[in-house]
Amino acid sequence: NTFNLDFTKCIIKCLEIGINTKINFCVDEVLHNVIMHKKQLFEAKYLNKMGHYKQCLHSDYIIKIYNKTKQYRAFNFVVDDNILRFEIKYRKMRKINDLGIYTLNDFLNFDFKVFKDLLLSEFDAVFIYDFTLQFHHKKEFKNKYSNLNFWRELINEPKPNKYKHHLNFYTRELKKYPVTLKEQLKHLINNEIDIC
């Protein structure tokens, strides 16, 4: 109203969907163990006193994970410890257009809960090494599966079977435990979305 905008002419060119969640773990330790998303490795980025974040570039969007507590406190906000931010930044609008969103007007009667499935689906595709579990062959296991370079070599391996073999082996090992880090994080993210 202030700017007399016609919402039907305000075309959405970029969109960020994200959730801030207080977690039961040190966010920086979680970040340290975030490895890849859909076979694409995360890059570590540093923003001086705001800490660091990790991002994964895809053709249409970017996945970002970072310590929201540090970002808030860098601007002198008083906030809880261990707030994790998980975010999808759409650079191309194909997937968003598929939801019927083209202009600002499309948001007026939009059910934002639709974004819950998108966030949880993309979070499912994040590979996080589970530092909370005591694997029976811990040292050798950790040296491999928490190592970005190990996964980089497997991804670049001409034979994709090696990558699949190790990913499946890691997944089978996780199933031996009643609760995993990833499950706990997803549960917290899910609950946070539901109360928004």
Side-chain angles (χ1 to χ4, degrees):
N1 290 337
T2 302
F3 296 104
N4 195 28
L5 293 177
D6 180 349
F7 281 10
T8 63
K9 293 179 180 171
C10 297
I11 297 168
I12 306 296
K13 298 283 190 181
C14 178
L15 184 67
E16 292 182 9
I17 303 166
I19 189 76
N20 300 336
T21 309
K22 181 171 171 49
I23 64 173
N24 307 323
F25 308 96
C26 171
V27 173
D28 286 343
E29 193 165 4
V30 171
L31 286 175
H32 180 71
N33 288 282
V34 169
I35 306 291
M36 63 186 156
H37 178 265
K38 294 182 179 176
K39 213 175 176 183
Q40 186 78 26
L41 296 173
F42 275 92
E43 300 173 80
K45 301 288 184 179
Y46 294 89
L47 293 171
N48 49 49
K49 66 179 181 176
M50 287 193 285
H52 72 284
Y53 65 95
K54 284 197 169 176
Q55 73 173 21
C56 191
L57 297 171
H58 295 284
S59 59
D60 287 8
Y61 62 96
I62 301 169
I63 298 292
K64 287 173 73 173
I65 302 177
Y66 57 96
N67 188 330
K68 194 67 174 179
T69 298
K70 280 188 180 174
Q71 186 187 44
Y72 278 142
R73 289 181 180 163
F75 295 103
N76 299 318
F77 289 103
V78 178
V79 292
D80 289 335
D81 290 330
N82 297 318
I83 298 174
L84 177 81
R85 170 82 174 171
F86 179 72
E87 181 180 296
I88 311 166
K89 180 177 180 177
Y90 288 96
R91 303 184 299 166
K92 294 181 183 173
M93 295 292 97
R94 286 183 284 209
K95 198 160 196 173
I96 298 306
N97 292 161
D98 288 346
L99 296 173
I101 299 170
Y102 296 90
T103 68
L104 205 51
N105 193 63
D106 296 322
F107 280 124
L108 292 179
N109 296 306
F110 188 75
D111 181 6
F112 287 92
K113 294 286 184 187
V114 169
F115 292 140
K116 175 181 178 177
D117 290 340
L118 284 175
L119 280 168
L120 293 177
S121 173
E122 296 297 350
F123 186 76
D124 279 341
V126 175
F127 179 93
I128 305 173
Y129 175 77
D130 197 326
F131 60 88
T132 66
L133 300 178
Q134 298 296 316
F135 296 106
H136 65 280
H137 35 327
K138 187 172 182 185
K139 188 174 180 183
E140 178 193 338
F141 196 84
K142 183 173 187 205
N143 287 344
K144 275 187 185 176
Y145 297 113
S146 69
N147 188 325
L148 203 66
N149 290 324
F150 173 76
W151 291 103
R152 180 179 285 112
E153 286 177 20
L154 289 177
I155 289 167
N156 293 326
E157 174 76 33
K159 297 177 183 174
N161 290 344
K162 279 184 89 172
Y163 169 82
K164 287 179 185 173
H165 165 77
H166 285 284
L167 188 62
N168 290 338
F169 177 71
Y170 177 80
T171 304
R172 281 195 306 273
E173 287 298 305
L174 282 184
K175 287 180 179 172
K176 295 177 181 176
Y177 297 86
V179 182
T180 66
L181 170 67
K182 182 91 173 283
E183 288 168 343
Q184 291 178 73
L185 292 175
K186 184 177 177 182
H187 176 73
L188 292 168
I189 289 170
N190 184 58
N191 287 349
E192 191 65 40
I193 293 170
D194 284 344
I195 60 174
C196 286

